[in-house]
Amino acid sequence: MLVAVENIIQSAAAKKGKKIFGVTFLGFVIWNTLSIYWVYNSIKTIGAVVAVPISLIPYTLGPLLMSTACWLYYRLRLITNRGFSLAGLVCFWTGYEYLHQNWDLNFPWMTLGNGFAVSHQLVQWYEYTGVYGGTIWILTVNIFAFLIYTGLRSLKSKQERIKPIIAFVLILILPIVFSLHRYNTYKEQVNPSNIVLV
């Protein structure tokens, strides 16, 4: 998605903000629908007439907020440099996830940090950061992968291209190594309790 947004930003097209919103919205609708198709399956027993409109809420509301975060990144990019606006994207995305978990239409299934539910050994550092730490980690790793990709396409020097690669490897590996060490060396504290139920 970052590459698609960057291509629109670098193009000579008019109304770049609308194009970025449209492309990201379409991409996120596809991603959400493929990821949470079970919402329709879980309510289709009450009838397709009711199930389809109800299913459209999580299929489109999340992408609307996700696309807004990408659009805000574009707007920030207009007035700042790419590095600062990418940091802003992390903040906008984390803000969207926080909103989407704390309002009446909350839907935490698409929170990026929850994607590690089946591989909890890799994210033992969640005890310090919570699920949003996982979101920030995923976004940061993807941003550095994006910077590596764009750096390889540009005419930057070898030294300028190697810095994002080193950062990418460190950001990817260090939290995993810490988590695996913590997971494999953890000892449960013996804390007997007397519990009385009345």
Side-chain angles (χ1 to χ4, degrees), residues 10-11 14 31 38 41 64 76 78 82 120 128-129 148 150 159 177 179 194:
Q10 298 299 329
S11 73
W31 177 46
W38 55 267
N41 288 338
L64 183 67
L76 185 61
L78 292 175
R82 183 167 70 175
H120 60 277
Y128 305 110
T129 66
I148 291 167
T150 56
Q159 185 179 5
V177 169
S179 293
N194 292 325

Side-chain angles (χ1 to χ4, degrees), residues 3-13 16 20 74 77 82 153:
V3 172
V5 169
E6 185 67 21
N7 287 339
I8 294 170
I9 290 172
Q10 298 299 329
S11 73
K16 293 178 184 178
I20 287 170
Y74 163 70
R77 177 86 177 265
R82 183 167 70 175
R153 288 179 49 195

Side-chain angles (χ1 to χ4, degrees), residues 28-137:
F28 291 136
V29 165
I30 293 169
W31 177 46
N32 273 25
T33 303
L34 293 175
S35 299
I36 53 173
Y37 65 90
W38 55 267
V39 171
Y40 173 77
N41 288 338
S42 67
I43 58 177
K44 70 180 178 184
T45 57
I46 60 175
V49 173
V50 176
V52 169
I54 291 174
S55 299
L56 287 176
I57 295 170
Y59 292 166
T60 58
L61 182 59
L64 183 67
L65 297 170
M66 294 171 186
S67 297
T68 301
C70 292
W71 179 80
L72 288 171
Y73 156 70
Y74 163 70
R75 298 301 299 177
L76 185 61
R77 177 86 177 265
L78 292 175
I79 57 174
T80 63
N81 62 28
R82 183 167 70 175
F84 190 77
S85 56
L86 285 169
L89 174 62
V90 173
C91 295
F92 298 141
W93 191 279
T94 308
Y96 132 72
E97 286 189 354
Y98 182 80
L99 168 70
H100 210 32
Q101 286 192 22
N102 291 293
W103 65 340
D104 290 336
L105 296 173
N106 61 356
F107 195 78
W109 284 275
M110 295 306 292
T111 300
L112 293 177
N114 285 339
F116 293 105
V118 295
S119 53
H120 60 277
Q121 301 90 344
L122 302 179
V123 289
Q124 292 298 300
W125 42 272
Y126 273 24
E127 70 178 287
Y128 305 110
T129 66
V131 72
Y132 299 116
T135 294
I136 293 168
W137 184 48

